[in-house]
Amino acid sequence: MSAVSLPTDRVPAPVAATWKAVALGVPLVIATVFFFVWRTQINHLANRPLGSYGAVPPFQLVNQNGQPFGTAELFGKIWIADFIFTACPGPCPMISSRMSELQKPLSETDVHLVSFTVDPEKDTPEVLGGYAEKLNAQPKRWDFLTGPKSKIYNLSGDGFKLGLSDGAGEAGIPVHSTRMILVDRHGEIRGYYDATAADGVTKLLADTSHLLREQPK
């Protein structure tokens, strides 16, 4: 007995190609729309006035390359700071990811990024260097700083007005702020932004854009 071939439902090639194009194109269109909405939000927020929250005191620490780095290297620059540590099981990966996201929109500016470790005993320059590589940190734009614990903790509390605990008597890990800090060319703090908030990066970029116009290079 000969085998009987059953008919199969096949989608005509032109129709399949059309659906494939639609499937590939829709995410691109959505991404484009979100980008323009995001840019519109930034432009709208960029017109609001910025406050002033005091000056960052002079400091000198060591970066991921083992080189001295501090206020002298940041003189005359707009910069954005945060406090993290590489073994952080909490918000640090998100904070660092948000900082990394800033690199592309700021690529045509001289804005600098600075991350202070709150666990300097473990976060040596070598450790910070590896952390920087994972984040695709641009060497001339983003520095990761370590140094004497007392200096960093005093800088956080007295300089940036941010609470910080070394975790003694708690979970045994540092407890620190999740806020990013915007500093102007004169070393004045101009804004605080919660890195865990959905609109944190948008507001930060808007205020940075405002500051770049207020204080051109």
Side-chain angles (χ1 to χ4, degrees):
M1 181 181 294
S2 60
V4 178
S5 299
L6 297 176
T8 58
D9 295 330
R10 292 183 178 178
V11 179
V15 176
T18 300
W19 278 110
K20 184 176 181 181
V22 170
L24 293 174
V26 168
L28 179 60
V29 171
I30 292 175
T32 302
V33 170
F34 272 108
F35 173 78
F36 281 107
V37 169
W38 177 63
R39 290 300 309 178
T40 300
Q41 290 176 330
I42 289 176
N43 292 335
H44 174 70
L45 291 170
N47 294 316
R48 62 179 184 170
L50 300 183
S52 184
Y53 304 96
V56 177
F59 68 88
Q60 185 179 72
L61 297 166
V62 177
N63 69 10
Q64 69 269 33
N65 300 316
Q67 299 299 314
F69 190 95
T71 44
E73 287 70 30
L74 293 166
F75 180 76
K77 292 183 179 180
I78 293 170
W79 51 289
I80 298 167
D82 68 2
F83 287 82
I84 51 91
F85 64 105
T86 62
C88 175
C92 298
M94 176 181 287
I95 297 170
S96 294
S97 177
R98 292 288 170 84
M99 284 284 276
S100 182
E101 290 172 14
L102 297 173
Q103 294 183 104
K104 186 174 182 179
L106 296 175
S107 61
E108 300 300 319
T109 74
D110 66 334
V111 176
H112 207 83
L113 306 180
V114 182
S115 291
F116 298 88
T117 178
V118 298
D119 191 11
E121 294 166 352
K122 295 179 181 177
D123 285 342
T124 63
E126 292 77 16
V127 171
L128 290 175
Y131 190 71
E133 287 183 10
K134 291 178 181 178
L135 292 166
N136 295 315
Q138 298 170 11
K140 295 183 179 180
R141 183 176 299 278
W142 192 356
D143 282 270
F144 296 75
L145 305 184
T146 187
K149 186 175 181 179
S150 59
K151 280 189 177 182
I152 295 173
Y153 277 54
N154 288 337
L155 186 61
S156 175
D158 300 334
F160 289 101
K161 312 297 190 296
L162 296 175
L164 177 58
S165 167
D166 62 5
E170 299 168 6
I173 58 175
V175 178
H176 59 92
S177 175
T178 60
R179 289 190 288 179
M180 298 179 287
I181 310 99
L182 176 63
V183 183
D184 70 15
R185 297 190 191 279
H186 307 299
E188 292 283 329
I189 297 171
R190 303 299 298 274
Y192 294 90
Y193 312 85
D194 187 353
T196 63
D199 60 352
V201 168
T202 300
K203 289 181 177 179
L204 174 54
L205 284 172
D207 287 354
T208 303
S209 178
H210 177 108
L211 200 52
L212 285 165
R213 293 198 307 272
E214 179 186 304
Q215 299 178 352
K217 184 176 179 182

